[in-house]
Amino acid sequence: MRTGEDDTMPLAAATDHLTRAGLNLIQQALSIYDADLRLAVCNRPFQTMFGLPERLVSPGARFDETVRWLAAHGEYGEVEDIDGFVRDRVEAARAFMPHYMERRRSNGRTISVEGSPLPEGGWVTVYTDITAAKRQETLLRARSEELSDQLLSHTEELTRTNRRLEATIGQLEEAKRQLTEMEARIRLTTEMTPAHIARLDTDGVYTYTNRRLSSVMPGRRSDVVGLCYLDVMGEVTGARLRPAFEAALAGEASVLEYDDAGSGRRIRTAFTPDRADPEGPITGVYLLSTDMTEEAQTRAALAQTHKRELAAQLTSGLAHDFANLLTIILGLQGRLEKMPLPHGAHELTSATRMAARRGGTLLDKIARMSGPRDIKAGPVVLRDFLDSFAPLARAALTPEITLTIDNRIAPPALMLDAGSLQDSLLNLVLNARDAIGNRPGRIEITLRSQQDTWLEIAVQDTGPGFSDIALEKATAPFFTTKGDEGSGLGLSMVYDLTKLAGGKVALANAPAGGAVVTLRLPLRPAKAEARPMLVLLVDDDAELRAGVRDLLIGLGHQVIEAASAEEALTLAEIPGIDWVLSDLRLGEMDGLDLLSGLATRHPGLRLALMTSAPESDARRRAAAARWPVLSKPVDAPHLLYLLSIEDAA
């Protein structure tokens, strides 16, 4: 499987190969090192002139290792202190200055070395074999008197050679300029890409990166060239990547999606083999990593919604028939109890009636679990939410059980479904209470942030903890360890609500004993404005308008009222209005026409409608295609969710 982003890799590889092919046509040896003293590019004459191994002519090769190899193989003559020699060369390279020099190699040949700095750091060096020219100069000096005629000929030849050399140098300068521009364009393009683009050699060492790793995986370093991916990614994530990397070295491109243990993000990485030509050897692997966290959260919520729909379809018919059977059973039990029965029979009929009623209660729970449930996140002030939740939870606990809440979340408000979260936490507190039993105990609720990606809520108790089978099946519907006293739907409901919100549920036992249930919800700081908003409320029914007005004022907002669309058009000219909330049916000009006109006149206004018309109504469907539509009767949670929407214009 290959994604659209993978096309970037073959393009970059093709550009790299074309560049190398062009440089290989130059007779002089050429090398370019970047500001970090690592090889950016070189041509084939550079390798053949000095007999360098493959690893020292691969992108990312270190300058000091190349100097050390040359010194050890006698390129600079006898060097007594190789470490000091390498250190001096590195210091000179860091303070690089333009230079030209000629030196005699250990093999007797003479080369000229010309270096020039690059605008963005680093330098380009050209090596030319001038042995023939030097021999000509020596011959001229020795036989200048005897070979005056030949001197003129050799001088002319030398002049021609110099002209050819100058032309080559000019070509190299132009090639250097074009390479610099090309590198700058490629660097700019890769840095603008919202993904981490990198290349690994066959040992898994980074030879290139666009320095976007820290933005894709917070907590990672961006400057990773020269480091092994196993060290950069850590033990857990590195183990996840290893099979795909090894498969790419074997020629198999792939895409891997995984949870990064270090950052908590959901990451998708494409692995593309790097080879010079389709039949050539693989010299490395290109990586393209993107952050898929929000997409994964949305997918999880949609998948859970589909599961609920299937469960509702499956259970609705069964529940209906079962409810009819329970009704018949209860009716028969009532008739039996009116008949003369032998001793002890009334106890049996009473027990049967209680069991049937318990079955009816269980049906209600199944219906609530599998029925439709909307997760509507709105701005929730955590301190206020916890202050109202704490007394509710403590009321269900015995005096011997203490409840502590530790909130370590920095943002004061988050986008959450307060009702679903309250139901989930209350279920977990009640489960913890039942696990502790009649003895003294403690329940701790801790809220923390994980890498600014997840809101992590841990509920820990001092009970006996989960059994092995409970750790495996506790979130499954109808699984319970409470015998006849439990329905097995509590943790299942928590799991369901958390998945609908795009989150995760984890069960564990604390090292010191007791159970730990951890909820992970998407961490989204609230974007609702802190100041009260000014709402233009439009409804031709005064009583209905008064009810919605009181709800808006109760939420801390200010309200201007209009009884008709014409009045609303006039009032909309008042500066500072944030929202217009109108009834759909108003008279000659209904709410749909009103909002269409306001959208044209005041593009910055946020617009919404409310109606008692069914969803099948044509006007309601037309309105819902453009703006949010609230169903009447309007309540405070739906208004709170509506006013948290950033752009409803």
Side-chain angles (χ1 to χ4, degrees):
M1 174 180 177
R2 300 174 69 95
T3 62
E5 292 90 345
D6 290 344
D7 296 338
T8 306
M9 295 306 174
L11 178 59
T15 303
D16 180 65
H17 296 322
L18 289 173
T19 301
R20 291 178 178 273
L23 293 177
N24 288 337
L25 295 177
I26 301 173
Q27 296 181 355
Q28 282 73 25
L30 179 141
S31 65
I32 300 177
Y33 285 83
D34 62 20
D36 296 327
L37 305 187
R38 292 184 179 275
L39 183 66
V41 69
C42 68
N43 62 357
R44 190 175 294 110
F46 178 68
Q47 181 179 16
T48 56
M49 175 177 283
F50 299 108
L52 294 170
E54 189 68 29
R55 64 183 179 85
L56 294 180
V57 294
S58 299
R62 290 165 46 181
F63 174 76
D64 59 341
E65 292 182 353
T66 303
V67 173
R68 184 180 300 277
W69 190 93
L70 291 172
H73 287 75
E75 178 62 29
Y76 303 105
E78 294 185 4
V79 179
E80 296 180 357
D81 181 9
I82 292 182
D83 290 338
F85 179 83
V86 172
R87 186 169 54 253
D88 291 342
R89 286 298 181 109
V90 170
E91 290 177 358
R94 294 193 185 280
F96 191 87
M97 298 294 292
H99 64 272
Y100 175 87
M101 60 175 291
E102 298 177 357
R103 65 180 174 86
R104 189 176 183 84
R105 301 182 61 206
S106 58
N107 60 5
R109 304 193 69 82
T110 304
I111 61 172
S112 66
V113 183
E114 181 177 8
S116 299
L118 296 175
E120 295 184 1
W123 70 90
V124 58
T125 306
V126 178
Y127 308 84
T128 306
D129 190 331
I130 58 173
T131 304
K134 285 299 182 182
R135 288 175 178 171
Q136 289 179 359
E137 291 178 3
T138 303
L139 182 61
L140 286 174
R141 291 191 185 96
R143 304 178 59 187
S144 59
E145 295 181 357
E146 302 175 7
L147 303 173
S148 57
D149 292 338
Q150 296 181 21
L151 175 61
L152 179 59
S153 175
H154 287 308
T155 301
E156 292 174 350
E157 179 63 26
L158 182 59
T159 301
R160 287 192 295 271
T161 300
N162 287 335
R163 285 198 295 268
R164 288 195 298 269
L165 181 59
E166 290 175 357
T168 301
I169 293 174
Q171 295 172 0
L172 289 175
E173 290 289 343
E174 178 62 20
K176 181 182 75 173
R177 184 187 65 79
Q178 293 179 2
L179 283 172
T180 302
E181 293 179 355
M182 184 183 302
E183 180 186 7
R185 286 194 298 269
I186 293 175
R187 171 65 65 177
L188 178 62
T189 301
T190 57
E191 292 296 342
M192 291 175 63
T193 303
H196 176 230
I197 301 173
R199 181 188 181 275
L200 304 177
D201 64 15
T202 53
D203 295 324
V205 175
Y206 287 95
T207 61
Y208 171 80
T209 176
N210 66 339
R211 301 178 184 273
R212 297 278 293 181
L213 181 58
S214 60
S215 62
V216 175
M217 303 181 188
R220 298 282 197 272
R221 56 184 295 180
S222 291
D223 186 10
V224 296
V225 173
L227 302 178
C228 180
Y229 79 97
L230 295 174
D231 298 328
V232 173
M233 293 298 172
E235 181 178 354
V236 177
T237 301
R240 293 293 307 276
L241 300 181
R242 185 195 296 271
F245 171 71
E246 293 176 349
L249 289 179
E252 179 183 348
S254 63
V255 177
L256 175 67
E257 190 169 311
Y258 56 94
D259 291 325
D260 176 44
S263 64
R265 300 291 181 102
R266 185 72 174 175
I267 306 298
R268 179 184 293 162
T269 299
F271 296 79
T272 304
D274 178 24
R275 49 172 28 121
D277 56 75
E279 303 299 328
I282 294 175
T283 60
V285 177
Y286 284 110
L287 305 182
L288 177 66
S289 301
T290 51
D291 183 358
M292 308 300 297
T293 304
E294 292 190 7
E295 179 183 325
Q297 292 169 351
T298 303
R299 287 203 310 264
L302 288 174
Q304 190 66 14
T305 300
H306 293 325
K307 289 180 182 178
R308 288 170 58 88
E309 292 174 351
L310 290 174
Q313 294 173 6
L314 179 64
T315 59
S316 60
L318 295 175
H320 178 268
D321 293 340
F322 189 38
N324 290 338
L325 292 175
L326 289 176
T327 302
I328 295 172
I329 292 172
L330 288 172
L332 292 174
Q333 291 299 311
R335 292 169 60 183
L336 282 173
E337 290 177 351
K338 295 178 181 179
M339 297 179 179
L341 298 173
H343 178 71
H346 284 285
E347 295 180 0
L348 295 177
T349 58
S350 177
T352 304
R353 186 175 63 255
M354 291 178 61
R357 288 175 177 171
R358 187 170 182 272
T361 302
L362 185 59
L363 277 180
D364 291 338
K365 291 183 178 180
I366 293 173
R368 288 197 298 271
M369 182 185 71
S370 61
R373 174 90 185 235
D374 291 333
I375 298 293
K376 291 189 175 180
V380 175
V381 179
L382 281 181
R383 184 180 62 184
D384 296 343
F385 172 82
L386 296 174
D387 287 346
S388 62
F389 170 77
L392 181 65
R394 290 192 176 100
L397 302 178
T398 63
E400 291 78 17
I401 299 177
T402 60
L403 172 68
T404 60
I405 300 177
D406 182 10
N407 179 21
R408 305 177 188 176
I409 300 297
L414 299 176
M415 296 297 292
L416 296 168
D417 185 326
S420 297
L421 181 58
Q422 178 177 286
D423 291 345
S424 296
L425 291 181
L426 192 57
N427 261 283
L428 296 180
V429 169
L430 294 178
N431 282 350
R433 177 202 64 185
D434 295 342
I436 294 173
N438 296 324
R439 58 184 180 275
R442 186 174 66 259
I443 301 173
E444 299 176 356
I445 301 177
T446 306
L447 294 85
R448 62 174 66 89
S449 167
Q450 189 194 43
Q451 295 290 340
D452 295 328
T453 301
W454 298 101
L455 163 63
E456 189 173 272
I457 306 176
V459 180
Q460 181 173 346
D461 62 56
T462 55
F466 290 110
S467 64
D468 291 341
I469 189 171
L471 286 174
E472 180 182 356
K473 298 183 177 180
T475 58
F478 309 113
F479 176 85
T480 179
T481 58
K482 301 177 184 178
D484 293 338
E485 297 180 1
S487 65
L489 296 176
L491 269 178
S492 177
M493 184 272 291
V494 173
Y495 176 84
D496 180 56
L497 292 177
T498 305
K499 294 292 285 184
L500 281 174
K504 306 175 183 179
V505 179
L507 309 181
N509 289 320
V516 183
V517 181
T518 303
L519 310 182
R520 279 189 178 181
L521 298 170
L523 180 63
R524 296 170 182 150
K527 297 180 180 179
E529 299 176 63
R531 65 174 178 82
M533 286 187 277
L534 182 59
V535 181
L536 174 56
L537 177 62
V538 189
D539 198 315
D540 56 2
D541 188 315
E543 292 185 4
L544 293 176
R545 193 169 67 244
V548 178
R549 177 196 62 208
D550 292 342
L551 289 174
L552 288 169
I553 293 175
L555 293 174
H557 302 296
Q558 300 172 348
V559 181
I560 300 175
E561 298 180 55
S564 66
E566 291 76 14
E567 185 181 359
L569 289 173
T570 302
L571 293 176
E573 301 298 327
I574 297 176
I577 293 179
D578 300 290
W579 274 92
V580 176
L581 176 58
S582 172
D583 188 21
L584 179 59
R585 301 186 185 277
L586 291 175
E588 293 184 4
M589 178 185 290
D590 65 7
L592 187 59
D593 296 330
L594 170 63
L595 265 58
S596 298
L598 291 175
T600 302
R601 297 185 188 183
H602 307 284
L605 279 179
R606 285 173 279 187
L607 310 172
L609 289 165
M610 52 186 177
T611 183
S612 57
E615 294 185 0
S616 59
D617 183 82
R619 296 294 282 176
R620 174 168 180 161
R621 290 202 306 269
R626 299 184 62 183
W627 305 291
V629 177
L630 299 182
S631 296
K632 290 184 176 181
V634 177
D635 56 16
H638 287 86
L639 279 175
L640 184 64
Y641 173 74
L642 171 71
L643 298 178
S644 69
I645 299 175
E646 284 296 305
D647 185 9

